[in-house]
Amino acid sequence: MDELKDLRNFFNELDEEITNLTDQFAETKGVTKEIIQEHYEALLAGPMILFEQKRLLKKKELLIEIGRLYPDQNRKMYTPIFTFEDNSKWALGDAGFAYAPEIIESNYQIEENYLPLLPTLIETKAKNYEPWQYNLNLDNGYVLCVNKIDTLSGISFTYTIKKK
């Protein structure tokens, strides 16, 4: 506890020294404490900007599209992208589904082979998986298998759909 108190005191003193230095520098540029206070109050009184709320996945989601997102134009590697009923796009990470990176349409391709199986409900939590090795149950009697492969040119993914 004494060590934590000493650290708290140290950081309080350091904060005070830095504040004094920045205040002195600001005043040499004509920025007074009053001007800073006015801007601070205006900032607090201004409109609040709300950031998009990321939603949580339900236990099962309606999968409407499977695609590939290529990181560059050579199209040797890709990230599997899964689109759910609300048109949100998701990728698989080391612990399951995560929001997909920004989609650039010229680097995105729909998996035409899987269209006959869609739409279908998909379990969003993999059963018996190791990181990057997923078996996700689909309600239409199939399992989506996703595997990460380390190649000479980097990381790649394979995914297949197998009958249960």
Side-chain angles (χ1 to χ4, degrees):
M1 289 300 286
D2 289 337
E3 184 179 358
L4 290 175
K5 287 177 186 176
D6 289 343
L7 284 170
R8 180 192 63 199
N9 292 336
F10 170 76
F11 284 116
N12 284 338
E13 290 171 12
L14 185 61
D15 179 59
E16 188 175 321
E17 287 180 35
I18 291 172
T19 300
N20 288 337
L21 285 172
T22 57
D23 286 350
Q24 289 171 11
F25 178 76
E27 284 188 27
T28 65
K29 301 296 182 187
V31 179
T32 64
K33 289 183 181 181
E34 290 78 23
I35 292 172
I36 293 172
Q37 185 65 32
E38 285 175 29
H39 284 282
Y40 177 72
E41 289 172 7
L43 179 65
L44 291 179
M48 183 178 290
I49 299 170
L50 297 176
F51 294 99
E52 176 186 352
Q53 296 291 313
K54 303 289 185 177
R55 75 176 181 89
L56 298 176
L57 289 175
K58 297 177 272 188
K59 186 175 180 178
K60 287 188 177 188
E61 293 279 346
L62 187 64
L63 179 64
I64 62 170
E65 181 179 281
I66 300 173
R68 294 179 177 203
L69 180 62
Y70 296 95
D72 51 39
Q73 298 301 324
N74 72 21
R75 294 184 171 249
K76 290 183 180 177
M77 297 184 297
Y78 64 89
T79 300
I81 301 294
F82 304 90
T83 305
F84 295 132
E85 182 177 26
D86 65 350
N87 286 314
S88 63
K89 296 196 181 306
W90 297 76
L92 285 168
D94 58 352
F97 283 107
Y99 269 94
E102 184 179 347
I103 305 292
I104 299 170
E105 292 302 322
S106 62
N107 287 356
Y108 182 74
Q109 173 186 337
I110 295 173
E111 287 282 2
E112 304 283 338
N113 295 340
Y114 299 135
L115 287 176
L117 301 175
L118 303 175
T120 186
L121 288 173
I122 184 172
E123 290 182 3
T124 59
K125 305 290 183 215
K127 298 218 181 342
N128 303 325
Y129 74 89
E130 297 174 26
W132 299 103
Q133 310 295 318
Y134 299 97
N135 291 314
L136 299 160
N137 291 319
L138 306 177
D139 271 9
N140 57 9
Y142 289 87
V143 177
L144 174 66
C145 306
V146 181
N147 298 294
K148 181 179 97 170
I149 300 170
D150 293 314
T151 66
L152 292 176
S153 58
I155 297 170
S156 185
F157 296 90
T158 62
Y159 55 104
T160 56
I161 294 185
K162 298 178 183 175
K163 194 102 167 127
K164 284 187 188 176

